[in-house]
Amino acid sequence: MEKGREILVIGGNRYFGKRLVARLLAAGDHVTVMNRGSSRPPDGAAHLVADRDDENSLTQALGSRTFDVVVDQVCYTPRQAAVARRVFTGRTRRYVMTSTVEVYEYEDSPALVREEAVDPATVSVGLELPWDEPEFLDTHYGEGKRQAEAVLAADPGFPYVAVRVAHVLGGADDFTGRLAHYADRIRAGAPIAVPVVNRPATYIHVEEIAGFLAWTVGEDFTGPVNAASHGLLTTGEICDAVTAHVPDGKVLLGPVEVGEVSPFSFARSYGMDNSRATRLGFAFDDVRRWLPRAVAETLGKGDA
C-alpha cells in the first residue's frame, strides 16, 4: 500500500499499541484512534470516542468513514468480534485483530506450534456465555480470543488477520508486573513457584510486536499468523536475566504439584512456530539477544 493510508486503531493507548500508532504516524499514515474517551491519542492522530461493545455507538461515531486498514487492539470476545464484523464489513480493505499465543493453551507439543493447530473455522462459538463478567473473561482469555477469531473467519469475504502475539517483554511502561514479580522474589530469596515439569515458551519484545503489526498493515495476507521472536526461554533464563539487576538476590525455583505458579511458568509446551510470518517477509530478532535489554528497560535500569 502507498503512504498516506487511512488507518483506524481501536484501543492502542498503551504499551505496544501506542508504539504502533507512533510508527504509523512516522510512516506518513493518517491514523485515527478510537476508544471510550479515557485518554487522548498521540499528537498527530485523530480521535473518535465510542463504546466498541455498543454497535449503535460504534456506527454513529464512524459515520460514513472508511479505512484502508483497521487494527483492533482490544477485541477479547466473540460478541465484540461479531459487532466489529458487522460494522466494518464494507468499511475497510483489511481488519487486523491482535490475538494471542493463549489460543494454543490446550496444545502440548514438543515441536513449535503452527497456525493450523487452531483453525478458527473449527472453533465453536458461544455468544451466550457471560463474556460481560470480568472474572469469567479473565479466566477464559484464550477461549475468548479463539472464539473471536472464529467469528471473523465465519465470513469468507471478510479480510481479517489474527496476529497471535507471543508473551511480550520490555519497555519501562510494562504494566503487567510480571518481571517485577520475579525481581521481588529474587530480592527476598523467596521461592518462585513453577510446575514440576516447567516448559519453555516463545516471547517477543514490545518494539518488535509494534513493528510486526505496522508491517502487517501494509501486507495483503489473511488468516492467523504467529508473531514470536526466534528461540525459546525457560523460567530459569528469565530469572537469570533479572538477577543482573538484583545484585544480592537468589533464585529459588519451587516446583509445585497443584496451585498457582509464577508468570511465564508453563506445564504445557505450546511455543509458536513463526515460519509463516518469516516466509511472508518479516525478519524476527532472536529472543536471547534482546532479553537483557528488555529486563533492564522494565526494571528501570536503562540499557543493558
Side-chain angles (χ1 to χ4, degrees):
M1 287 185 188
E2 69 285 354
K3 288 187 177 181
R5 302 165 294 192
E6 291 289 340
I7 300 174
L8 175 69
V9 179
I10 306 175
N13 295 307
R14 63 178 182 175
Y15 210 33
F16 60 84
K18 70 180 184 181
R19 290 169 170 81
L20 166 65
V21 171
R23 285 171 182 256
L24 295 173
L25 289 171
D29 294 313
H30 306 296
V31 181
T32 300
V33 174
M34 173 182 283
N35 58 32
R36 293 182 178 180
S38 56
S39 58
R40 294 194 57 78
D43 290 344
H47 191 199
L48 289 178
V49 176
D51 180 354
R52 63 92 32 83
D53 295 321
D54 183 333
E55 188 166 346
N56 288 333
S57 171
L58 195 53
T59 302
Q60 289 175 11
L62 289 169
S64 61
R65 295 191 63 177
T66 60
F67 302 92
D68 294 306
V69 184
V70 174
V71 183
D72 194 341
Q73 291 282 88
V74 288
C75 185
Y76 300 111
T77 75
R79 291 182 193 169
Q80 292 175 329
V83 168
R85 197 184 77 188
R86 287 194 297 268
V87 170
F88 289 107
T89 293
R91 287 183 182 268
T92 184
R93 299 197 305 233
R94 188 168 176 75
Y95 177 95
V96 179
M97 168 194 164
T98 56
S99 189
T100 174
V101 62
E102 297 304 327
V103 301
Y104 301 119
E105 63 184 328
Y106 299 128
E107 300 299 316
D108 192 359
S109 169
L112 295 177
V113 178
R114 295 188 177 185
E115 290 85 355
E116 53 264 32
V118 175
D119 179 358
T122 66
V123 173
S124 298
V125 174
L127 293 174
E128 75 287 351
L129 293 173
W131 297 111
D132 294 331
E133 297 178 9
E135 184 176 351
F136 180 86
L137 183 56
D138 184 59
T139 56
H140 293 79
Y141 175 69
E143 183 61 26
K145 289 287 192 178
R146 260 192 305 276
Q147 292 193 25
E149 288 190 27
V151 168
L152 300 179
D155 180 356
F158 191 69
Y160 89 100
V161 179
V163 178
R164 294 172 176 172
V165 182
H167 307 290
V168 182
L169 293 175
D173 55 337
D174 180 354
F175 60 91
T176 65
R178 293 175 294 192
L179 287 179
H181 167 86
Y182 282 111
D184 291 343
R185 304 295 287 182
I186 291 168
R187 189 176 292 110
I192 296 168
V194 296
V196 173
V197 179
N198 190 23
R199 305 296 188 186
T202 41
Y203 295 83
I204 193 164
H205 189 270
V206 62
E207 295 290 351
E208 187 169 33
I209 187 56
F212 184 88
L213 289 167
W215 169 79
T216 299
V217 163
E219 298 297 307
D220 59 6
F221 63 88
T222 57
V225 62
N226 293 338
S229 296
H230 297 304
L232 296 162
L233 289 176
T234 65
T235 307
E237 287 176 295
I238 294 173
C239 289
D240 289 343
V242 171
T243 58
H245 306 283
V246 186
D248 299 320
K250 185 175 182 181
V251 176
L252 294 175
L253 298 181
V256 295
E257 295 276 359
V258 179
E260 188 174 354
V261 295
S262 295
F264 307 136
S265 300
F266 307 100
R268 294 176 180 268
S269 294
Y270 55 103
M272 292 196 298
D273 182 310
N274 64 14
S275 60
R276 183 185 187 213
T278 300
R279 288 194 305 272
L280 288 166
F282 190 83
F284 289 103
D285 202 348
D286 186 278
V287 66
R288 288 179 177 80
R289 195 190 72 81
W290 58 253
L291 177 63
R293 172 167 60 95
V295 173
E297 291 165 352
T298 302
L299 297 181
K301 301 294 183 178
D303 292 336

